[in-house]
Amino acid sequence: MGLLSSSKRSDSSSSLASVGAATLNGAQISLTLLKEAMDGTNIPFVKGVAGLAVEVIRIAKAIQTNKEDCDDLMKRTTSLLVVILGSLSGKKEDAIPSHLKSGIERLTTTFQEVLAELRIIEKRVGKRSVGGLARSILYYVDNDEKLKGCSAKLEWAMGEFQVTSKVDSCLKDLERHEELRKDLREGHAKMEKIEAGQAEIRDGLTEIRDVMKEQVATRTSSSDNLPSTVMPAEPKIFGRQEYIEKAIRLLQSGATARLVILGPGGMGKTSVALKIIYDARVKERYGRYRCWVPCEQATSIPLFTDLLAKSLNLPPSSSGDRLSEIIIFLESSQVVYLLLLDNFETPWDIEGQQSNVADILTKLASIPSVSLIITMRGGQYPSSNTIEWSTPRLPSLTQLDLDAAEEAFLKISPDAAGDPELRKLLQKLDCMPLAITLMAKLSEAGETIPDLLSQWGTERTRLLDQPGGDRRTSIEVSIKLSLQSRAVKGYPDAIRLLSVLAMLPAGAALTRLPQLCPSIPSWRAALRILRGAALVYDSADRSRVHLLSPIQSYILLHHPLEHGLLEELRTGYYDLAPSEKTDIDDPDFNDISKQLAEEEVNMEAILINALHDESGNREKAVEASVPYSIHLRWKHPRTEVIIEAVRVARELGSSKLASCLTWQANIHRMQGRHDLAEPIYEEAKEEYSKLGDEESVAGVQRVLGAILAIRGEYQRARSMIQEAREALLKIDSVIEATWCLWEIGQSFYLQGEYSSACSTLKQARWEFISGNNRLGATRCLSIIGASLGRQENHDVAQSTLAEARSAFLEMGDPSGAASCLWYLGDTLQRAGNPSLALAKFNEAHTAFIHLGDIEWIATCQRSIDEVSRILGNSYPSQPESVTADSQ
């Protein structure tokens, strides 16, 4: 009986056409239409495979997770079923050739394997609420892999069945042509040449069919123990378009190409390579001769050559020399093969075999009919001395830019769109693709972005370590594989240096490494090895070396720095800070501050780590925190380190508590936070009294008097400051006493007593000049200029303030220079030049925002608003968030 009975053929053909059209148009796949299409067949083995296909679609539709992969699987299944039923339409059972029957039997086996995987997933989905978040995430990742594997199997099955069907069709056409030729033989002498050609075609097609049968037999025998070489599904890629285009241009630039994609683990090398070979231009050029060789499990040379042979669909070895068979096959090929040797670092790192692997690679690269793409973790090309790699060489893959990282995250977890903390989380991950993927899956499973940020701060890479995961599903496994490379394992100083670098979040300046780790004299060799393994990367100007954040976190967790190296590192940074007596007008201050500015992030990390380390010398860390805070006070006022130093100093009963309190208060004062500074100064004064330090007691009293003047308590302020001045003069602390005089002059200015301010500050300026104190002299000059402006002496005021500003900038005092800008604006406004005044106020405003001085920010904003109203401009008030951020 025929495949379709006469009563049902019309209906089922219509159903088959409807299913095909729906699949092509991306419409919802209808099980009803599929069942109608298969109901027309009465041939058991055809009906059997069709029934399995319908069951695959039914389960895939029912699965509620991994929807995109399920939809892809249903479309592939439907397409395959349409091809099967369509190609056999109208045939009787006894008319179906044996090779087509064998093909359908193999399809039945494929569908049974796919159905078994789907039933496992179906059971998991039914139990997804059991086991908590970790198991749900593990199932999600494993389901994803299973579904992609099912789709790949069906893609291969489709190609195989279509080729078999086409061979059968060609043979049938030849048979019909032969009958026609017999009828016309007597009248067509030229048919002799056609006969010879037809015979060759027939023999060739028969040989193709026999080879396919042999290949199928090979797949089910000796290759069963090897990993699948079926090409994985085309990946989704973000932010790599320019890189991929470069690679495709190289593949198109000559007869063949040889490319290497390098980079750290977790950068997406495999995904980029697959995206390249799935590109339509590459498909057009290489067609079905694109072969994926998964080298991850090629832990020996025989395994590597067997995998290569399997990807080329070679029959079982007949000679025992697998490599020679591969080389002969490729050299005799009339088409160009594109071989993707994925994760090539595995065979490359086989113990004692690198030269042999290099020989194999060189032989493959020398074959005119072979193009190569190699993916390999690390930073060094293999066999550079024997292989001419395509140029320009592809750069190593690095982290994604922030926009691409966000796009990749939201593709997996779209509900996170618009979260203000998302970009901060991505930056914490250094935009590393694997870390982004794993973190996004946690977000998709229900974790909020703020929660993930918090967990990353405590758990680090353990957060992204899936139970039983591999290099694609666990960031820790991926990093561990790089650390286990032959070169790194064979050079212990490489790990020691990596532990040093992990302590430095801003990377290490190459010029300072000898001072930071004197116990690693071979640091240059260690660094070369770490670069080769792509465990570190260089800054754009190659002056600093860095670790990616996930690698840094892993090293801190699993390879903490040994005590001796840790003490060396801390000492190297403590020595950077100026002495406690150094101030901004000292000749060396700017050079010291410049070095510190380059190392601020690392300095703070080292100090905070040392202050928290109860097993270390925390007293030394407290001592180093004070001079570092002197630098911060003038350059970037921040209190994180000094607040921690105050806590530890109290805990230890340190004699440095008073100094720590003073510098904490000094920084608050530079931020315009006099309310915070005043009680801390009071406590510092008590501590200095306990120590019998009269000079410091008087110095703190001077500052407390200055705070009173800012509040408008001018008489009380001057009385307190004068008392401090007299105490300082008694002990011959002349410069400190002169600072008291400066504060008195400042109080007159604040009170509006500009004449008194000028006379007092001129005296103070003379004393500062006599004592070679440039900072004090310049401070006096700036307030003298401001006072002259208020006394309508505008020209002299402007020149005086310009001189003061120039001196502040030369000394490196950004706060003093910014205050001169405001005084200039104030003078220009009073001189009737509001446009220039507004420009100065805006410039001062920007400078104080950078410094975080909220009092001056507010003063500048009031002036801007006032002048803008005069000019009729609409100049919006500064948002509150700016003030909050600057604090």
Side-chain angles (χ1 to χ4, degrees), residues 525-659:
L527 188 57
R528 282 194 295 271
I529 289 169
L530 295 177
R531 282 179 176 140
L535 286 163
V536 300
Y537 68 95
D538 291 293
S539 60
D541 61 1
R542 298 188 67 83
S543 66
R544 300 181 77 86
V545 62
H546 301 260
L547 271 64
L548 289 170
S549 175
I551 296 176
Q552 178 198 17
S553 298
Y554 179 89
I555 297 299
L556 289 173
L557 280 172
H558 300 286
H559 297 276
L561 192 58
E562 60 193 64
H563 179 74
L565 281 173
L566 181 58
E567 288 304 313
E568 288 179 355
L569 181 63
R570 287 172 177 169
T571 299
Y573 273 92
Y574 295 163
D575 290 345
L576 272 181
S579 73
E580 194 171 339
K581 297 295 183 183
T582 304
D583 212 340
I584 194 167
D585 56 350
D586 290 331
D588 297 332
F589 186 83
N590 272 339
D591 290 339
I592 295 171
S593 278
K594 185 178 178 181
Q595 289 184 21
L596 273 176
E598 296 171 353
E599 296 291 341
E600 272 186 21
V601 174
N602 289 341
M603 187 72 164
E604 294 201 5
I606 293 294
L607 287 171
I608 293 293
N609 173 271
L611 290 167
H612 287 177
D613 183 7
E614 295 185 4
S615 64
N617 189 342
R618 292 198 291 166
E619 181 70 37
K620 195 172 180 181
V622 169
E623 292 174 4
S625 299
V626 174
Y628 176 63
S629 298
I630 297 173
H631 158 78
L632 287 181
R633 177 205 178 187
W634 293 110
K635 301 299 183 181
H636 308 288
R638 291 194 305 276
T639 56
E640 291 84 355
V641 170
I642 198 64
I643 286 174
E644 190 61 25
V646 167
R647 180 190 67 80
V648 173
R650 279 203 183 97
E651 191 177 304
L652 298 177
S654 170
S655 61
K656 288 292 180 181
L657 175 58
S659 293

Side-chain angles (χ1 to χ4, degrees), residues 11 89 139 145-146 298 352 412 431 439 481 502 563 595 604 608 612 637 653 688 718 734 772 779 820-821 829 831 845:
D11 291 342
S89 177
Y139 281 168
E145 294 294 325
K146 288 182 182 293
I412 298 171
C431 295
M439 193 69 84
L481 284 170
H563 179 74
Q595 289 184 21
E604 294 201 5
I608 293 293
H612 287 177
Y688 283 128
R718 284 195 284 270
V734 177
N772 292 319
R779 285 286 175 91
C820 285
L821 285 171
Q829 182 182 355
H845 188 253

Side-chain angles (χ1 to χ4, degrees), residues 132-181:
L133 176 62
R135 178 167 292 181
S136 295
I137 296 167
L138 180 60
Y139 281 168
Y140 183 99
V141 174
D142 192 54
N143 292 348
D144 184 69
E145 294 294 325
K146 288 182 182 293
L147 288 166
K148 281 183 170 58
C150 291
S151 291
K153 287 182 179 180
L154 292 180
E155 183 180 8
W156 180 83
M158 167 75 87
E160 184 188 53
F161 189 81
Q162 286 178 325
V163 172
T164 304
S165 300
K166 286 178 182 176
V167 171
D168 180 64
S169 176
C170 290
L171 290 172
K172 290 295 183 185
D173 289 343
L174 281 172
E175 289 173 3
R176 287 194 295 272
H177 191 70
E178 188 175 0
E179 291 176 4
L180 179 62
R181 185 182 55 78

Side-chain angles (χ1 to χ4, degrees), residues 98-118:
S98 60
H99 61 277
L100 281 180
K101 290 181 181 179
S102 299
I104 293 173
E105 289 175 4
R106 291 193 295 276
L107 287 175
T108 302
T109 302
T110 299
F111 274 123
Q112 286 171 342
E113 293 173 357
V114 170
L115 199 55
E117 297 279 27
L118 287 177

Side-chain angles (χ1 to χ4, degrees), residues 45-302:
F45 63 86
V46 176
K47 197 161 188 172
V49 73
L52 290 170
V54 169
E55 180 65 7
V56 166
I57 293 170
R58 183 195 66 75
I59 294 177
K61 287 184 74 172
I63 293 172
Q64 294 302 310
T65 62
N66 307 81
K67 293 306 292 181
E68 190 174 334
D69 292 324
C70 288
D71 289 344
D72 181 62
L73 183 62
M74 288 191 286
K75 287 177 183 176
R76 291 183 189 275
T77 303
T78 305
S79 299
L80 185 51
L81 187 53
V82 168
V83 170
I84 295 169
L85 296 177
S87 64
L88 300 179
S89 177
K91 288 186 174 64
K92 295 181 180 180
E93 182 175 1
D94 54 5
I96 298 176
S98 60
H99 61 277
L100 281 180
K101 290 181 181 179
S102 299
I104 293 173
E105 289 175 4
R106 291 193 295 276
L107 287 175
T108 302
T109 302
T110 299
F111 274 123
Q112 286 171 342
E113 293 173 357
V114 170
L115 199 55
E117 297 279 27
L118 287 177
R119 283 174 175 151
I120 292 172
I121 296 173
E122 186 180 31
K123 289 180 182 178
R124 287 177 173 175
V125 172
K127 298 178 179 178
R128 65 186 179 195
S129 63
V130 179
L133 176 62
R135 178 167 292 181
S136 295
I137 296 167
L138 180 60
Y139 281 168
Y140 183 99
V141 174
D142 192 54
N143 292 348
D144 184 69
E145 294 294 325
K146 288 182 182 293
L147 288 166
K148 281 183 170 58
C150 291
S151 291
K153 287 182 179 180
L154 292 180
E155 183 180 8
W156 180 83
M158 167 75 87
E160 184 188 53
F161 189 81
Q162 286 178 325
V163 172
T164 304
S165 300
K166 286 178 182 176
V167 171
D168 180 64
S169 176
C170 290
L171 290 172
K172 290 295 183 185
D173 289 343
L174 281 172
E175 289 173 3
R176 287 194 295 272
H177 191 70
E178 188 175 0
E179 291 176 4
L180 179 62
R181 185 182 55 78
K182 287 179 181 178
D183 293 339
L184 298 175
R185 182 183 300 168
E186 294 178 0
H188 298 280
K190 293 183 180 180
M191 288 300 294
E192 291 180 1
K193 293 181 179 180
I194 297 175
E195 286 178 23
Q198 289 171 341
E200 289 179 8
I201 294 171
R202 184 187 302 106
D203 291 344
L205 289 171
T206 303
E207 185 179 347
I208 291 172
R209 188 178 65 189
D210 293 342
V211 168
M212 286 186 64
K213 289 181 180 178
E214 190 173 341
Q215 288 173 355
V216 171
T218 300
R219 286 179 182 272
T220 56
S221 58
S222 61
S223 298
D224 284 348
N225 294 327
L226 294 173
S228 171
T229 57
V230 175
M231 193 86 70
E234 182 177 359
K236 297 177 181 63
I237 291 290
F238 303 93
R240 304 293 196 194
Q241 288 74 17
E242 185 178 344
Y243 190 99
I244 291 168
E245 283 300 317
K246 286 181 182 177
I248 292 171
R249 284 198 296 272
L250 288 171
L251 287 171
Q252 293 177 314
S253 62
T256 57
R258 295 162 190 85
L259 314 182
V260 181
I261 300 174
L262 298 170
M267 279 298 164
K269 298 180 292 296
T270 296
S271 295
V272 168
L274 289 172
K275 194 69 176 178
I276 291 167
I277 64 176
Y278 267 108
D279 185 87
R281 292 162 290 180
V282 178
K283 278 185 177 180
E284 182 180 359
R285 175 155 191 187
Y286 293 96
R288 63 189 182 89
Y289 303 104
R290 296 166 297 137
C291 301
W292 178 59
V293 187
C295 302
E296 183 176 353
Q297 297 183 42
T299 54
S300 67
I301 290 180

Side-chain angles (χ1 to χ4, degrees), residues 633-634 637 665-672 813 815 851-853:
R633 177 205 178 187
W634 293 110
N666 285 344
I667 292 174
H668 284 315
R669 190 180 176 210
M670 288 293 287
Q671 295 171 330
D813 180 357
S815 179
L851 291 168
D853 189 326

Side-chain angles (χ1 to χ4, degrees), residues 780-816:
C780 292
L781 191 63
S782 68
I783 306 302
I784 290 170
S787 299
L788 290 171
R790 291 294 177 100
Q791 291 175 304
E792 310 302 324
N793 196 348
H794 302 131
D795 292 340
V796 177
Q798 288 180 56
S799 61
T800 302
L801 288 167
E803 181 185 348
R805 173 169 160 74
S806 177
F808 280 132
L809 290 173
E810 188 179 338
M811 279 187 289
D813 180 357
S815 179

